[in-house]
Amino acid sequence: MTSSREEPTEVVLVRQQASAAPGAVAVVRLLAGLPPHWACAWAVGGDRITLRVGTPAPGGAEAVAVATVVAGSAPPGWAVPR
């Protein structure tokens, strides 16, 4: 039997500019820009945010979509490292 839930997608953002909002503020801004049906857990440490996103739709393409949306929603001065 297969599960209809997939493992959460983990996305890391790092502070790129010293003038960027601190991690705690940045994660609040980031979460506000994400789809409300996504289940999110996060960890903030220094200049790094780790976001774990669970989505209702399973599938490998969903992980790519999550990373793209998170990168596009990143507050100014924060980015997903390449």
Side-chain angles (χ1 to χ4, degrees):
M1 178 193 263
T2 60
S3 172
S4 62
R5 305 192 107 218
E6 74 178 66
E7 289 296 314
T9 300
E10 187 171 286
V11 181
V12 174
L13 291 102
V14 293
R15 188 185 235 178
Q16 301 288 311
Q17 300 171 351
S19 62
V25 174
V27 77
V28 171
R29 291 177 181 166
L30 174 64
L31 293 171
L34 298 180
H37 62 278
W38 286 5
C40 299
W42 59 91
V44 178
D47 294 335
R48 179 182 175 103
I49 298 170
T50 303
L51 187 66
R52 292 176 52 89
V53 180
T55 59
E62 189 68 24
V64 173
V66 167
T68 301
V69 170
V70 169
S73 298
W78 287 84
V80 174
R82 295 180 186 232

